[in-house]
Amino acid sequence: LLVRQPKRFLADLSDYEVFDNHGRQVAQVREQGAGGGMQVLRALYRGTGGFARRVHVDDMFGHTRLIIQKHWSWVTASTSVLLPNGRLVGSIEQGMRFFGARFTLRDPDKHTIGVIEGDVVGMDFRIKDPADHEVARVDRNIPDLGEVFTTADSYVLHRRYSSLPQPLDTLVVASAIAIDLVLHEGK
């Protein structure tokens, strides 16, 4: 899957387009609940990385398939992944790490079902199951010339397997958006 933000200037709303390996758009991801006051606050305050964000992952028919909610954070962030009915699928929790990025994937009962380990510059992330076996990879692409002066980022999710046990499978799909919400959005 390719997760790409549209090129934008002076906008601080989370917005992504998701494409399959054939280049067909399969989902649209848009932030919900960020009214005009929040947008003005984000525009005035430069470092909005700790602010809460809630995005809906909609299929191409406009049906919400997932909700990804990054909670307000001071140092480390927690991101919940929910079904449209509000049922918790699991969470992606940022850990403290001096060099690189690390996230823990947890089921609704807070059991660890995987980890995401990133490199120092935040360009390459490995997703591993509890047995430390790599099940997917997320690569943050270097922006093209048209994206250099915008806030647009692109991520490629490489899955090793077509399906994984739930809820790990859903958390893997949500991982590229969660990584961007925590590490790059609002910075």
Side-chain angles (χ1 to χ4, degrees), residues 111-183:
H111 297 115
T112 299
I113 59 170
V115 296
I116 303 172
E117 296 174 339
D119 63 11
V120 175
V121 292
M123 300 293 270
D124 183 41
F125 300 87
R126 291 158 312 289
I127 304 172
K128 297 179 179 182
D129 67 10
D132 204 35
H133 179 75
E134 185 176 304
V135 296
R137 181 178 292 268
V138 175
D139 297 321
R140 181 173 171 226
N141 290 342
I142 297 172
D144 63 30
L145 189 56
E147 293 175 338
V148 169
F149 300 107
T150 70
T151 59
D153 287 315
S154 296
Y155 298 84
V156 180
L157 173 65
H158 304 279
R159 295 172 56 118
R160 290 183 148 248
Y161 308 101
S162 58
S163 67
L164 294 165
Q166 287 296 346
L168 179 60
D169 193 55
T170 301
L171 294 178
V172 165
V173 169
S175 63
I177 294 168
I179 289 168
D180 187 69
L181 288 174
V182 171
L183 297 180

Side-chain angles (χ1 to χ4, degrees), residues 27-178:
Q28 180 70 44
V29 183
R30 302 239 164 151
E31 185 171 2
Q32 304 295 314
M38 178 58 74
Q39 292 178 47
V40 169
L41 179 62
R42 287 178 181 170
L44 294 174
Y45 182 70
R46 290 285 173 184
T48 62
F51 285 30
R53 292 178 187 262
R54 180 183 179 101
V55 298
H56 285 205
V57 180
D58 297 336
D59 64 19
M60 295 315 296
F61 300 105
H63 300 110
T64 300
R65 297 299 180 179
L66 278 180
I67 298 168
I68 303 170
Q69 182 173 353
K70 177 191 165 284
H71 304 282
W72 187 90
S73 64
W74 180 253
V75 177
T76 61
S78 178
T79 304
S80 297
V81 179
L82 307 124
L83 295 176
N85 64 5
R87 193 177 109 234
L88 180 65
V89 173
S91 61
I92 302 173
E93 299 176 5
Q94 182 183 20
M96 292 291 292
R97 195 166 187 188
F98 292 107
F99 298 105
R102 182 178 172 89
F103 298 86
T104 303
L105 305 176
R106 299 192 188 277
D107 68 12
D109 296 323
K110 295 291 184 187
H111 297 115
T112 299
I113 59 170
V115 296
I116 303 172
E117 296 174 339
D119 63 11
V120 175
V121 292
M123 300 293 270
D124 183 41
F125 300 87
R126 291 158 312 289
I127 304 172
K128 297 179 179 182
D129 67 10
D132 204 35
H133 179 75
E134 185 176 304
V135 296
R137 181 178 292 268
V138 175
D139 297 321
R140 181 173 171 226
N141 290 342
I142 297 172
D144 63 30
L145 189 56
E147 293 175 338
V148 169
F149 300 107
T150 70
T151 59
D153 287 315
S154 296
Y155 298 84
V156 180
L157 173 65
H158 304 279
R159 295 172 56 118
R160 290 183 148 248
Y161 308 101
S162 58
S163 67
L164 294 165
Q166 287 296 346
L168 179 60
D169 193 55
T170 301
L171 294 178
V172 165
V173 169
S175 63
I177 294 168

